[in-house]
Every structure is written in C-alpha cells, then in structure tokens.
Amino acid sequence: MKVLMINGSPHTSGCTGTALAVAADVLKKEEIDTETINLGGKPIRDCIGCNKCKKLENRCTFDDDCINSILQKAETADGFIFGTPVYYAHPSGRILSALDRLFYAGSRLFEHKPGFALASARRAGTTASFDVLNKYFTIAQMPVASASYWTAVHGNTAAEVQQDQEGLLTVRHAATNLAWLIKCIDAGKKAGIPVPVNTKTVWTNFIR
C-alpha cells in the first residue's frame, strides 16, 4: 500500500514539507509506503479547458511539466495527501494549477481513494486553504481522512513548525486515520465488497 503526497511549496524542506514528513513517519509505522512529489519552482501550466484530455487515457495533452508523471503514479497509489503553503489566505498557485489538471484529466485515478489536505501558514489563512483543497477530494468521490482539528501547522520556518505541537498532532491524527481508511478499503476489496458504480453525471446549468 502506498500514499502519494504532493508538496505544493516551491521549498522542498520548508514548512509544508516538514508537516508532510511527519505524516510520512506515521504512515511508515503503519507499514504504508509514501512518495513525495515536490512541485518545486519550475513552471506548471494552468488547465486551459481544451478538453483534449477526454480523448486521452487519464493524461493531459500538455506533456512539458510534471502532471502526466503524477497521473501515472496516482494510478497505483492507494491514498493521497495534498500540502500547501498559504499565500494571501489561499493555496499556492502551483498546487491549484496542478490539481486542476490532475483531476480534470485523470479524476478516475483518484475515485474512492482516501486522502486529506494540510496547510501551512505563518499566521492566518489555513482554514480557507484547507477548504479549497478538500473540494478536490469531495468532487472525485474520495473519502476524506479527518483529524482532531483542521490539519494546519503554523510557523515561518521549518524549525518553528516543529514547535507547533498541536498542529503536528492533528497531522499525525489525520495520517493515522488515513492509514485506517486505506486498510479498511483493502479489507473490503478482499472480502468481495465492490467499489460503488454511480450513474453518469447529468450536466446542467442555471439557464437550461
């Protein structure tokens, strides 16, 4: 079993990376492997709504950044953690660009797999960012691993984040619950419980 973690910060070992490392330690103790994708500082295209991905097999038409590589890894992942720093009370632009394309081109790869989001801030904006990232889970029929509080850490440096005992505790609780969900889903599959098959989406808007 494996969890794919996406670090939406340009800093590999910064505040967000520190929180993700804590989650990884918990999952390791639960005998679940992890892999961290650091979005880093390289450009990531936005989704342009071209719909060309509909003719591809869970791939984006643009192949000049990390998105298709992540989609390939998502196919074999059993769970996910999305981490972001807070910029202007909002997730980083790079993680939003990445997740927009990942879920638009390959939502099937995420369906019915559990995950959770975490946010890192110096002071404020964590819950707003947390809410934004959670919407990716809930639109893709993904169980969300909750915790004892919202999964957010505070600090201006990695060392300061390590002092946020309550914040890191919520990350540990969420990671423990994520491991439990993954194991429950695995046990269900082995017991012959099928994955839900829902009817095709009916697209409507507010004028027809």
Side-chain angles (χ1 to χ4, degrees):
M1 292 178 279
K2 183 176 181 179
V3 168
L4 190 64
M5 305 194 301
I6 298 179
N7 182 358
S9 171
H11 307 293
T12 301
S13 302
C15 298
T16 306
T18 298
L20 289 171
V22 168
D25 286 342
V26 172
L27 292 167
K28 182 179 180 180
K29 292 175 183 176
E30 294 286 343
E31 299 182 335
I32 294 176
D33 295 329
T34 60
E35 180 178 356
T36 303
I37 303 295
N38 293 295
L39 297 183
K42 293 182 179 180
I44 297 176
R45 289 178 179 266
D46 291 332
C47 178
I48 63 170
C50 67
N51 284 317
K52 290 183 179 179
C53 59
K54 303 305 179 186
K55 299 179 181 179
L56 303 174
E57 187 64 25
N58 301 306
R59 295 293 181 269
C60 179
T61 189
F62 295 118
D63 202 22
D64 56 357
D65 54 24
C66 61
I67 298 304
N68 283 333
S69 173
I70 297 174
L71 285 169
Q72 187 174 11
K73 294 175 185 295
E75 194 161 4
T76 56
D78 300 291
F80 301 89
I81 303 175
F82 304 148
T84 185
V86 173
Y87 298 152
Y88 292 93
H90 204 261
S92 72
R94 66 186 51 257
I95 197 168
L96 294 180
S97 293
L99 293 180
D100 281 354
R101 286 172 57 206
L102 289 170
F103 278 80
Y104 201 77
S107 61
R108 185 187 66 79
L109 304 178
F110 297 89
E111 284 182 0
H112 308 300
K113 297 177 181 180
F116 72 88
L118 63 86
S120 168
R122 181 190 65 83
R123 187 169 179 85
T126 52
T127 55
S129 299
F130 175 77
D131 288 343
V132 171
L133 295 190
N134 273 343
K135 288 179 173 61
Y136 290 96
F137 297 116
T138 56
I139 202 171
Q141 306 180 70
M142 299 171 69
V144 179
S146 57
S148 51
Y149 201 72
W150 299 292
T151 41
V153 296
H154 291 84
N156 203 38
T157 64
E160 289 179 357
V161 168
Q162 290 170 352
Q163 297 175 51
D164 183 5
Q165 296 183 24
E166 183 178 358
L168 292 178
L169 185 63
T170 63
V171 173
R172 292 187 183 98
H173 288 169
T176 300
N177 290 338
L178 177 60
W180 176 73
L181 282 172
I182 290 171
K183 291 175 182 179
C184 285
I185 291 170
D186 182 61
K189 289 178 181 178
K190 290 176 180 176
I193 300 173
V195 173
V197 178
N198 292 309
T199 56
K200 187 177 180 180
T201 299
V202 177
W203 294 100
T204 63
N205 61 32
F206 293 113
I207 59 171
R208 61 181 172 85

